[in-house]
Amino acid sequence: MRNTSNMSTDIRAAVIERVKALNGDGSVDSMALANELGVDHGKLVDGSLKTLAAADRIAMEMVSQPRWNVSDEGKSYAEQGSPEYRVYQAVSAAAPDAATVSSLDESLGPASNRGRQQALKRKWIAFGANKTEIVLGPSASSGEVVDQVSNALKLLLENAGAPGDLPADILKQLKQRKLASSKPLKTYLLTAGARVDDDRVEATEMTKDMIVSGEWRNVAFKKYNFDADGKPPEGGYLHTLLKVREQFRLIFLEMGFEEMPTNNYVESSFWNFDTLFQPQQHPARDEHDTFFISDPARAGVMDEKYLERVRETHERGGFGSRGYRYEWCEEEARKNILRTHTTAVSSRMLYLLAQEKEFKPRKYFSIDRVFRNETLDATHLAEFHQIEGLVADRNLSLGHLKGIIHEFFKKMGMEKLRFKPTHNPYTTPSLEIHSYHEGLGKWVEVGNSGVFRPEMIRPMGIPEDVTVIAWGLSLERPTMIKYGISNIRDLFGHKVDLAAIQSNPICRLTF
Ligand code: PHE
């Protein structure tokens, strides 16, 4: 056993003896016990009593006893009498002559002013005929003058702050005049616990050795303290991007959108490009822009009929289109890649939607990671996150697209929007979204949008009268603006400062 615990072992033994000696009759007060044992009360409680109580060897019940701390001013009143009493004494000593304000000031100093007010209130003194004279008041002549304030303070000082049966109004007065303040004393009433006689060695946990040797029979296991505070977790902080993602998610959910399953980073070129009517010679499909997967390099099962419709549309068109008039190559479509945009997921979802028996309007969103074979710089990484929303319904117009985009961005506090024509292989018309940034004092591009082309959605089987509008933006851009980050490498990737992730505040987009 460690040396340091010898003393507390003795004390604990003494405590046990003391509560056992009660024989179930009454209790011992911890303060009285501390005095008996000659130890500090706080140390007795924390070092011994709580441990014994945890092992059920004693029971402790907290009691709070009133105690009052007398202030320095209070101490001086206890010694010299209260100012009001000293004023009364001076006036009474001058009788039958009247005292004056200046004579009191002279003999009592600063106590004169305060004492006069209190003594006047108590009617111990009164003003004489000409208002400069001070004479004894009506209470003084009826012989009721007792210096209760000073007496109460003396009593407190003599009884270590215990108020005994001092009346509540006197204590209230002491408190108001800042002569004493209440500071309850917390002690414990101690009695024998259920296991008072159980002096087995205490153990915190069962070990293999204890089981093998059978020693577990001879030890008392410590109870779990379910009230103990846990250690604050050192990990588990949400990455800044995830904080912002959650806010975007809430915006979409509030607008009635369903989240699309985006849990596949590896995608076939077919879903990423071909189904989106992106020609196979398109520069974005080059390995300078796209990461190709070497193993497995080729995507497997596909809906052959749909694949043929996609081929047909690329080669010869349909739905009012001439197509690209080149020979579409299935092998090219089967090349596995890291998806370059989440529109690949939107495409899969629209295809699934088209397979349903009866078309029902849908609103979908996704927020997840995409990959591009970029040259890295302060604003570009090879992987980033896209936010995408789409609405499929009958008779949607460009007005609906602009309207829903306005509503979406308004929820982030962006009210001033402009649309600029652009080109995407899979939308027509296509619109860039620009927003006036009050902080930067200029228009910034915040997203891309459009109406999905018939060449994309009709081969899937989406009904003729259904239009699909969609928009997309990066998660990084608004996050960098929101958190004042100028280099994307400080936000995402191996150079990120973990301390910043732990300390970045939660995100609130205004909505
Ligand atoms: N996929 C586009 C991009 O990667 C964004 C977009 C989504 C554009 C939906 C139009 C419609 O930038």
Side-chain angles (χ1 to χ4, degrees):
M1 186 164 285
R2 281 167 299 145
N3 246 349
T4 43
S5 38
N6 286 342
M7 211 196 45
S8 49
T9 311
D10 292 347
I11 290 177
R12 284 177 206 172
V15 173
I16 296 290
E17 284 317 305
R18 189 70 177 75
V19 293
K20 274 167 86 170
L22 289 170
N23 273 323
D25 185 19
S27 57
V28 198
D29 181 80
S30 58
M31 182 60 93
L33 185 60
N35 292 340
E36 254 173 56
L37 300 173
V39 293
D40 176 75
H41 182 250
K43 281 190 190 141
L44 177 69
V45 172
D46 290 335
S48 299
L49 299 184
K50 287 187 176 166
T51 313
L52 289 171
D56 257 355
R57 302 204 65 194
I58 64 167
M60 53 200 286
E61 185 195 330
M62 197 183 77
V63 282
S64 170
Q65 293 167 33
R67 286 289 182 278
W68 290 77
N69 252 353
V70 178
S71 68
D72 286 345
E73 191 180 357
K75 282 179 190 151
S76 79
Y77 290 10
E79 247 169 62
Q80 309 171 8
S82 68
E84 58 272 24
Y85 192 74
R86 293 169 65 201
V87 164
Y88 157 77
Q89 280 178 316
V91 175
S92 136
D97 291 338
T100 62
V101 172
S102 51
S103 73
L104 291 173
D105 282 353
E106 205 174 302
S107 58
L108 299 175
S112 163
N113 191 27
R114 197 174 306 152
R116 262 191 340 265
Q117 291 168 16
Q118 290 284 349
L120 277 168
K121 216 163 81 183
R122 288 169 164 73
K123 298 194 166 49
W124 291 352
I125 61 168
F127 284 111
N130 63 10
K131 295 276 170 196
T132 60
E133 289 183 355
I134 294 175
V135 295
L136 287 176
S139 308
S141 29
S142 56
E144 286 168 15
V145 179
V146 180
D147 193 357
Q148 276 180 314
V149 165
S150 173
N151 290 347
L153 291 165
K154 271 188 234 161
L155 190 123
L156 290 178
L157 288 170
E158 279 159 17
N159 295 332
D165 18 271
L166 282 177
D169 64 316
I170 298 280
L171 289 168
K172 191 173 157 198
Q173 209 188 119
L174 298 185
K175 188 177 162 190
Q176 275 166 355
R177 291 173 73 179
K178 297 196 166 63
L179 302 174
S181 55
S182 157
K183 190 169 181 274
L185 172 71
K186 293 196 168 86
T187 64
Y188 297 87
L189 295 182
L190 311 175
T191 50
R195 290 166 49 173
V196 66
D197 290 318
D198 183 354
D199 55 5
R200 288 175 300 172
V201 173
E202 234 191 21
T204 29
E205 49 189 294
M206 175 102 73
T207 63
K208 170 178 163 264
D209 291 345
M210 281 180 187
I211 299 172
V212 172
S213 67
E215 189 204 335
W216 63 271
R217 289 177 217 276
N218 307 321
V219 294
F221 290 99
K222 218 173 170 173
K223 278 199 289 189
Y224 284 115
N225 176 6
F226 293 110
D227 297 328
D229 283 340
K231 268 196 198 163
E234 303 207 340
Y237 294 89
L238 276 189
H239 189 280
T240 315
L241 283 172
L242 296 186
K243 290 179 183 157
V244 181
R245 181 178 76 171
E246 190 52 25
Q247 294 300 303
F248 276 106
R249 198 174 252 161
L250 290 175
I251 291 180
F252 276 117
L253 292 175
E254 196 181 67
M255 289 172 72
F257 282 64
E258 290 169 65
E259 189 159 11
M260 296 185 267
T262 49
N263 52 349
N264 57 314
Y265 292 168
V266 175
E267 186 55 278
S268 61
S269 296
F270 183 68
W271 287 110
N272 194 87
F273 297 122
D274 296 285
T275 63
L276 290 161
F277 197 53
Q278 187 143 335
Q280 294 189 324
Q281 307 75 25
H282 194 282
R285 302 179 66 149
D286 199 82
E287 60 196 33
H288 298 294
D289 290 295
T290 300
F291 289 112
F292 287 83
I293 304 288
S294 53
D295 187 14
R298 201 172 172 278
V301 186
M302 279 179 193
D303 173 346
E304 292 296 335
K305 284 187 185 143
Y306 174 49
L307 191 129
E308 285 312 316
R309 288 199 296 275
V310 170
R311 178 202 303 278
E312 177 73 19
T313 315
H314 276 247
E315 291 185 352
R316 279 187 290 278
F319 325 102
S321 165
R322 303 176 59 239
Y324 290 121
R325 317 221 148 220
Y326 70 102
E327 200 178 319
W328 187 79
C329 166
E330 185 179 329
E331 276 314 298
E332 189 61 39
R334 286 191 183 269
K335 282 184 184 167
N336 275 333
I337 59 164
L338 289 178
R339 71 173 174 230
T340 65
H341 55 180
T342 48
T343 316
V345 179
S346 303
S347 183
R348 278 177 178 273
M349 289 302 284
L350 287 169
Y351 166 79
L352 287 177
L353 188 60
Q355 309 317 303
E356 288 177 5
K357 272 210 182 81
E358 191 194 335
F359 171 80
K360 282 196 213 81
R362 291 285 162 76
K363 292 190 276 188
Y364 286 139
F365 79 95
S366 69
I367 310 173
D368 210 341
R369 195 174 298 189
V370 298
F371 306 83
R372 292 193 192 165
N373 200 351
E374 299 254 16
T375 312
L376 311 188
D377 63 27
T379 52
H380 293 89
L381 288 179
E383 47 192 305
F384 63 101
H385 298 78
Q386 285 191 327
I387 303 169
E388 185 154 324
L390 68 87
V391 183
D393 201 352
R394 296 199 163 82
N395 306 319
L396 290 179
S397 68
L398 198 58
H400 290 106
L401 178 64
K402 290 165 93 171
I404 201 149
I405 287 172
H406 264 291
E407 192 188 333
F408 177 80
F409 281 94
K410 194 173 154 190
K411 286 178 184 284
M412 291 188 279
M414 297 189 195
E415 308 244 1
K416 271 196 222 167
L417 295 185
R418 271 186 196 161
F419 295 91
K420 192 177 146 189
T422 184
H423 170 79
N424 297 311
Y426 39 89
T427 52
T428 186
S430 307
L431 308 169
E432 271 177 14
I433 310 160
H434 294 249
S435 162
Y436 187 76
H437 192 279
E438 300 291 346
L440 303 175
K442 61 175 182 185
W443 289 90
V444 289
E445 192 193 329
V446 291
N448 188 356
S449 67
V451 180
F452 282 138
R453 296 186 78 96
E455 295 95 321
M456 168 187 164
I457 57 173
R458 298 298 167 233
M460 294 172 171
I462 298 272
E464 279 293 324
D465 57 347
V466 171
T467 308
V468 184
I469 55 181
W471 76 101
L473 58 148
S474 90
L475 177 61
E476 278 76 0
R477 173 67 83 73
T479 305
M480 287 169 77
I481 294 176
K482 190 85 198 164
Y483 285 87
I485 299 167
S486 56
N487 190 329
I488 198 163
R489 287 168 283 205
D490 293 335
L491 175 65
F492 192 64
H494 64 288
K495 289 197 177 148
V496 164
D497 177 9
L498 288 179
I501 290 185
Q502 297 180 358
S503 62
N504 270 343
I506 57 163
C507 173
R508 280 261 165 271
L509 302 171
T510 45
F511 63 94

